[in-house]
Amino acid sequence: MREYVIRGGTPLSGSVTISGAKNAAVAILPATLLVNGTCRIENVPDISDVRLLLEILDSMGAEIRRLSPNTVEVCCEHVRDSEASDTLVRRIRASYYLIGAQLGRFGHARVALPGGCNFGARPIDQHIKGFEAIGAEVELQNGFVCARASENGLTGGRVNLDVVSVGATMNIMIGAVLAGGTTIIENAAKEPHIVDLANFLNAMGAKVSGAGTDVIKVRGVKALRGGCYSIIPDQIEAGTYMAAVTAVGGNILIQNVIPKHMDCISAKLREMGAKVTEYDDSIRVQCTGELRRANVKTLPYPGFPTDMQPQIAVCMSLARGTSIITESIYDTRFGYCAELNRMGACIKVDTKTAVITGVERLAGCTVHACDLRAGAAMVIAGLAAEGTTRVEEIEYIERGYEDIIGKLRGLGADIRRIERPDAPPKAASAG
């Protein structure tokens, strides 16, 4: 069993460089299936989710070359018209982008329902609604999503999403790129990684407009060509380090970020007492005083991201007064609260609301990561706590954070990764 061992209480200092955006990379890589030619993709995060997707593409016949840890060439010209491995697909949530990619390239897809972090149901009904709008017939059969274009192929259509869905917005974009006519996605999500996917597709010859607004238009083209593209920095990784220095204290420079993407996070941390200074492509966060209470409601971008609520909950646990988090995206994402309470936090959860009464200190103990972002929160809590914290089930964390140990140690943290020989290895969960 692998785990992190953290000795807390040391303020963070120095600089950290943010990796490419996980949520962009896991959509862009499946989208390479649509391209005739070689895609050179730079600033690819070296994380387990990316390695798994490359393994899936390789198993389908893609030619993949790792030019460096963060640069990869993918050529899908000779990919077979075959199903992706069920075993691999079920280990990663983002595998659902293979549905749109295979449907767009081959006119049909059969993909196993993906796995996911355990914080509530994340249905794909909006994905299906979009595929049907562009002329596909979609069925769920024995744990598989089966989609097939009509005899005339995929055609442009209009879809008004019932809820703002990042995954559905991106999947419909991927599926519609090679469809005939124009596809209009209304009530589209606006997250930075949606814009990044659109920019990637356009760099390969697609005609996508409106990404970043609530109406996206995809004008179908006959083919995509190869090219070079660099993925944007990861908003959530940057926010995690911002929350870490806010909770632990110190002064760090976060490099390779787009400050505009961080506005909602920066504003909330300033409200809590951190000093946040923005530069062209970096942000400095300083926190030396007592934290103040704050309220957060998670919302689609540009609102406060659901992927940051566990991390800011740690800051709130150490702030003076009572803070409230309202979760509006997922049904149950407060599983980590019981772990924080074991460390001395005072959090009461009622369905989609967490009431957090600040405490003077947290105490180290053994906790587990119940999902990717909850795992990041456990690491932050361990850095802020007195004594030693052991974080188990770190496979979740390594799905989305490149070299988190090396980056934190570079900031002065006392953290290491160990193997526990007294317990059998646990299979990695996915999301």
Side-chain angles (χ1 to χ4, degrees), residues 156-177:
R158 180 184 294 267
V159 55
N160 191 320
L161 296 176
D162 299 321
V163 295
V164 177
S165 168
V166 172
T169 299
M170 298 173 85
N171 220 351
I172 297 164
M173 286 167 55
I174 293 170
V177 164

Side-chain angles (χ1 to χ4, degrees), residues 49 52 55 86-93 115 428-431:
D49 268 14
L52 191 54
E55 187 177 352
D86 299 357
T87 302
L88 296 177
V89 165
R90 293 185 193 279
R91 289 170 56 194
I92 179 171
R93 180 68 186 177
S429 296

Side-chain angles (χ1 to χ4, degrees), residues 86 88-99 111-117 122-124 127 140 143-145 171 430-431:
D86 299 357
L88 296 177
V89 165
R90 293 185 193 279
R91 289 170 56 194
I92 179 171
R93 180 68 186 177
S95 58
Y96 54 39
Y97 295 125
L98 292 167
I99 305 169
V111 179
L113 284 169
C117 284
R122 295 193 284 183
I124 64 167
H127 302 240
L140 298 179
F144 287 81
V145 180
N171 220 351

Side-chain angles (χ1 to χ4, degrees), residues 34-116:
L34 303 171
V35 179
N36 292 326
T38 298
C39 300
R40 178 182 173 129
I41 307 173
E42 300 173 346
N43 203 34
V44 179
D46 187 14
I47 54 177
S48 62
D49 268 14
V50 163
R51 292 191 290 270
L52 191 54
L53 274 173
L54 290 173
E55 187 177 352
I56 290 171
L57 290 173
D58 178 74
S59 72
M60 297 173 69
E63 298 175 15
I64 298 170
R65 294 179 61 210
R66 277 274 193 184
L67 304 183
S68 75
N70 302 113
T71 301
V72 63
E73 285 187 350
V74 182
C75 180
C76 293
E77 286 188 272
H78 305 297
V79 167
R80 300 181 297 274
D81 182 3
S82 61
E83 295 178 20
S85 163
D86 299 357
T87 302
L88 296 177
V89 165
R90 293 185 193 279
R91 289 170 56 194
I92 179 171
R93 180 68 186 177
S95 58
Y96 54 39
Y97 295 125
L98 292 167
I99 305 169
Q102 289 187 284
L103 184 61
R105 174 162 182 173
F106 302 119
H108 59 87
R110 185 174 184 270
V111 179
L113 284 169

Side-chain angles (χ1 to χ4, degrees), residues 188-207:
K190 306 173 188 177
E191 272 69 7
H193 41 282
I194 291 174
V195 178
D196 208 36
L197 172 63
N199 289 341
F200 165 77
L201 293 170
N202 288 341
M204 303 300 136
K207 294 182 179 179

Side-chain angles (χ1 to χ4, degrees), residues 98-401:
L98 292 167
I99 305 169
Q102 289 187 284
L103 184 61
R105 174 162 182 173
F106 302 119
H108 59 87
R110 185 174 184 270
V111 179
L113 284 169
C117 284
N118 186 23
F119 47 79
R122 295 193 284 183
I124 64 167
D125 58 311
Q126 297 304 296
H127 302 240
I128 293 172
K129 181 178 182 178
F131 295 145
E132 290 175 341
I134 61 175
E137 296 180 358
V138 187
E139 294 180 313
L140 298 179
Q141 298 177 350
N142 301 319
F144 287 81
V145 180
C146 302
R148 181 171 294 276
S150 66
E151 292 183 2
N152 297 324
L154 298 176
T155 57
R158 180 184 294 267
V159 55
N160 191 320
L161 296 176
D162 299 321
V163 295
V164 177
S165 168
V166 172
T169 299
M170 298 173 85
N171 220 351
I172 297 164
M173 286 167 55
I174 293 170
V177 164
L178 299 180
T182 298
T183 298
I184 299 175
I185 308 170
E186 297 180 301
N187 198 29
K190 306 173 188 177
E191 272 69 7
H193 41 282
I194 291 174
V195 178
D196 208 36
L197 172 63
N199 289 341
F200 165 77
L201 293 170
N202 288 341
M204 303 300 136
K207 294 182 179 179
V208 181
S209 60
T213 75
D214 57 5
V215 179
I216 296 175
K217 293 183 180 180
V218 184
R219 295 171 177 84
V221 297
K222 292 185 177 180
L224 299 183
R225 61 183 180 275
C228 182
Y229 190 77
S230 182
I231 292 173
I232 59 171
D234 195 303
Q235 174 203 26
I236 304 303
E237 185 193 14
T240 297
Y241 287 103
M242 293 172 72
V245 70
T246 300
V248 179
N251 180 344
I252 68 172
L253 181 68
I254 302 168
Q255 299 176 307
N256 189 38
V257 298
I258 300 174
K260 180 66 178 175
H261 293 171
M262 312 307 301
D263 280 352
C264 55
I265 300 169
S266 297
K268 192 55 62 174
L269 294 180
R270 286 189 182 108
E271 181 182 335
M272 296 189 69
K275 181 181 179 182
V276 181
T277 307
E278 298 178 358
Y279 306 101
D280 289 342
D281 60 357
S282 60
I283 293 176
R284 181 173 296 280
V285 183
Q286 300 167 265
C287 194
T288 56
E290 188 174 58
L291 296 180
R292 300 186 292 267
R293 61 168 297 280
N295 294 335
V296 162
K297 181 177 182 179
T298 62
L299 292 167
Y301 187 84
F304 194 90
T306 182
D307 279 356
M308 277 298 301
Q309 69 105 310
Q311 299 92 310
I312 202 165
V314 181
C315 300
M316 293 174 171
S317 294
L318 293 165
R320 173 181 289 182
T322 299
S323 303
I324 298 175
I325 296 178
T326 304
E327 173 59 47
S328 68
I329 308 297
Y330 294 122
D331 293 336
T332 55
R333 195 169 191 170
F334 289 120
Y336 67 89
C337 292
E339 300 299 296
L340 283 181
N341 283 345
R342 295 182 63 240
M343 299 181 71
C346 181
I347 307 175
K348 296 181 179 179
V349 176
D350 182 6
T351 60
K352 291 190 175 184
T353 301
V355 179
I356 305 174
T357 302
V359 298
E360 187 174 341
R361 64 181 63 85
L362 299 176
C365 66
T366 299
V367 293
H368 77 276
C370 55
D371 63 65
L372 167 58
R373 307 306 175 183
M378 293 303 104
V379 171
I380 295 172
L383 295 172
E386 294 182 350
T388 299
T389 299
R390 294 178 178 268
V391 182
E392 299 176 339
E393 299 183 69
I394 61 173
E395 293 85 1
Y396 279 115
I397 301 169
E398 294 176 355
R399 285 185 40 239
Y401 291 93

